[in-house]
Amino acid sequence: MTETTAAPDIAAGRLPKDAYAEKFSDLHPLLDTHEAYVEADRCYFCYDAPCMQACPTSIDIPQFIRQISTGNPTGSARTIFEQNILGGMCARVCPTETLCEQVCVRNEAEGKPVKIGQLQRYATDHYMSTHETTPFTRAPSTGKKVAVVGAGPAGLSCAHRLAVHGHDVTLFDAREKLGGLNEFGIASYKSVDDFAAREVAFILSIGGIEVQTGKRLGADLNLADLQADYDAVFLSIGLGGVNALGLAGETKDGVLDAVDYIADLRQADDLSALPVGRRVVVIGGGMTAVDIAVQTKLLGAEDVTIAYRRGQDRMNASEYEQHLAQTNGVKILTNAQPRALVGANGSITAIELEKTSVGADGSLSGTGEFITLPADMVFKAVGQTLVKEDLNGSAGKIAIEKGKIVVDEERKTSLAKVWAGGDCVLGGEDLTVAAVEDGKVAAEAIHRTLSV
């Protein structure tokens, strides 16, 4: 079955004009001072705290919470920024439920962890609202030049740390607006009030960072030229390609990349003008799948389904994110893989899915049982890929494995003078906080190399 006669139902303005601001309001409103004190008092201030061990950037969590409890949010923020200059955004988007809060000893005591993420936001928001610059002083210029390609979390983290050490940084980005996934790829209700852009300005306040936008590696920039012109290069280029479903008809109207739609939504001045289907199907099981599913539901889609090929326990999206989807009216259909895109007159009208079973060895196979879901929009959220061509033919020189750049523990690539971090490198967790750590580790390694 490949054709139907039903016309797609895609329209803007499905909700009353004043409903959008409420639906896309802050997912976790900022704690007030009293709430922060009460929550901070729940912390045991553990020695060798498991929450600190679980934080990819090794923030001293007991210390910053103790500083909040003693009425010192400014000092608390400084403690956070020492390890994570993007602590404000990480407080908003980190899956704390599977990191620091999961191992909080309060879980054993009462089944409810300290709200570490919200306390981190309380401190960092306080600091950024009362200070125009980061709490660091730039060292005298070393005369060394470093190119940072990509202004997402890894690139911003690396650029800031290098600038603190006195190196002159040129920060390139393919878009006209900095921030990477923080600006373009995160659900709007997780980062409101243009916070991503404000955080970028905060980071750049250190000085010593020249910004060049509209410069894409592989088109406007050549990696070999960067190696020749700079003392070091840090690649934080992300994953620019989107995995395909591998089905005929992927070019039909209504078959969309989830990341592109989220970017459009994040940059929209008027959400009521953004078209959304009445019936939406999302293919995938990660954070992007949840983000696009929830946001299309908030835009007024009546029927939204996430279809994932394995069981719900295998979804990359955390249990919290899955619960968020379901409480917003999103259906989660598991053990179902796409088999055919059904359309009429060049537009998608339905998707055919086959139920799956998992063998003893973990292999996936179809059962021969098929389900057809009507769909005005089908979003692909099945992962992104490295665009090797962006490396200017260096794919044969720079080590690549499993579609990602290979780096050592200091985030050094196989190429001379080139480091890398973020989603583009092998072994990462594809988390904002992990990307921040990559940038920090690489910056320190670059600094040591340039200081010899």
Side-chain angles (χ1 to χ4, degrees):
M1 179 172 61
T2 58
E3 293 293 324
T4 69
T5 57
D9 185 352
I10 300 175
R14 291 189 177 276
L15 305 174
K17 190 83 171 179
D18 58 356
Y20 293 92
E22 178 183 353
K23 286 185 174 292
F24 284 87
S25 60
D26 208 330
L27 182 62
H28 297 296
L30 182 66
L31 297 177
D32 64 29
T33 300
H34 175 71
E35 291 171 327
Y37 282 171
V38 170
E39 192 61 31
D41 282 343
R42 296 184 59 238
C43 182
Y44 288 136
F45 310 117
C46 305
Y47 174 76
D48 194 25
C51 58
M52 186 174 171
Q53 306 301 318
C55 174
T57 56
S58 302
I59 292 172
D60 191 337
I61 295 171
Q63 173 69 1
F64 92 69
I65 294 179
R66 185 186 298 276
Q67 288 169 305
I68 290 174
S69 70
T70 57
N72 183 14
T74 296
S76 176
R78 288 176 182 269
T79 298
I80 294 163
F81 289 137
E82 283 175 3
Q83 297 299 325
N84 185 343
I85 194 60
L86 283 89
M89 182 60 79
C90 288
R92 289 161 164 79
V93 304
C94 263
T96 53
E97 67 277 1
T98 62
L99 295 172
C100 54
E101 292 179 14
Q102 184 180 53
V103 297
C104 176
V105 296
R106 275 286 187 182
N107 277 317
E108 293 186 15
E110 56 193 60
K112 182 182 178 183
V114 175
K115 296 176 181 177
I116 298 170
Q118 292 191 57
L119 288 173
Q120 180 169 315
R121 178 177 170 184
Y122 171 79
T124 54
D125 275 26
H126 167 82
Y127 191 95
M128 291 176 65
S129 68
T130 55
H131 297 76
E132 294 183 357
T133 62
T134 73
F136 301 95
T137 302
R138 176 166 158 75
S141 176
T142 63
K144 300 292 185 180
K145 300 189 304 177
V146 183
V148 175
V149 185
L156 290 167
S157 172
C158 184
H160 181 271
R161 184 61 67 103
L162 288 169
V164 169
H165 285 308
H167 304 300
D168 296 323
V169 179
T170 304
L171 180 59
F172 299 98
D173 198 83
R175 297 182 187 262
E176 295 299 328
K177 197 172 184 181
L178 306 185
L181 288 179
N182 286 357
E183 176 62 48
F184 296 97
I186 290 170
S188 290
Y189 49 77
K190 295 179 181 178
S191 176
V192 302
D193 300 328
D194 209 21
F195 179 79
R198 290 191 285 116
E199 186 173 58
V200 167
F202 178 70
I203 290 168
L204 295 180
S205 70
I206 189 64
I209 303 174
E210 176 192 354
V211 173
Q212 293 191 27
T213 57
K215 297 294 180 68
R216 181 176 177 272
L217 189 66
D220 311 287
L221 302 172
N222 182 284
L223 184 53
D225 291 342
L226 293 175
Q227 286 176 278
D229 295 342
Y230 291 85
D231 296 295
V233 178
F234 179 70
L235 300 177
S236 51
I237 55 177
L239 301 173
V242 177
N243 286 328
L245 299 177
L247 301 176
E250 284 194 51
T251 58
K252 285 183 170 68
D253 291 341
V255 181
L256 305 169
D257 295 336
V259 290
D260 290 341
Y261 190 89
I262 291 173
D264 290 342
L265 191 153
R266 283 296 305 272
Q267 301 305 307
D269 294 325
D270 181 5
L271 290 176
S272 68
L274 195 65
V276 67
R278 184 168 64 86
R279 303 160 302 180
V280 173
V281 177
V282 178
I283 306 299
M287 302 286 279
T288 300
V290 170
D291 282 354
I292 190 65
V294 172
Q295 289 186 111
T296 52
K297 197 73 170 71
L298 294 177
L299 284 171
E302 293 179 13
D303 192 328
V304 180
T305 302
I306 293 175
Y308 180 59
R309 59 183 182 149
R310 294 184 181 274
Q312 197 161 342
D313 61 325
R314 294 292 302 277
M315 292 177 68
N316 286 333
S318 67
E319 288 186 20
Y320 170 79
E321 291 288 335
Q322 294 175 38
H323 180 70
L324 178 66
Q326 291 170 315
T327 54
N328 276 280
V330 174
K331 303 170 188 173
I332 298 179
L333 174 64
T334 56
N335 299 109
Q337 60 187 359
R339 282 303 186 195
L341 296 167
V342 184
N345 301 319
S347 297
I348 192 72
T349 56
I351 183 168
E352 187 177 76
L353 304 157
E354 183 181 14
K355 295 293 286 181
T356 62
S357 63
V358 181
D361 60 352
S363 61
L364 203 67
S365 60
T367 64
E369 178 185 354
F370 293 89
I371 304 168
T372 299
L373 297 180
D376 305 300
M377 283 179 160
V378 171
F379 285 102
K380 294 180 286 184
V382 289
Q384 295 173 268
T385 59
L386 179 71
V387 181
K388 298 179 183 179
E389 293 78 11
D390 288 351
L391 299 171
N392 306 109
S394 296
K397 304 172 188 176
I398 194 168
I400 293 180
E401 185 178 321
K402 297 180 181 177
K404 293 193 174 186
I405 299 171
V406 177
V407 295
D408 64 16
E409 66 278 1
E410 293 190 331
R411 309 324 189 251
K412 178 73 171 59
T413 74
S414 60
L415 286 181
K417 299 167 58 175
V418 180
W419 285 255
D423 291 350
C424 67
V425 302
L426 182 67
E429 298 179 74
D430 293 342
L431 297 174
T432 297
V433 67
V436 172
E437 180 69 3
D438 285 348
K440 182 178 71 176
V441 169
E444 293 295 345
I446 292 169
H447 174 60
R448 286 193 296 270
T449 300
L450 299 184
S451 300
V452 175

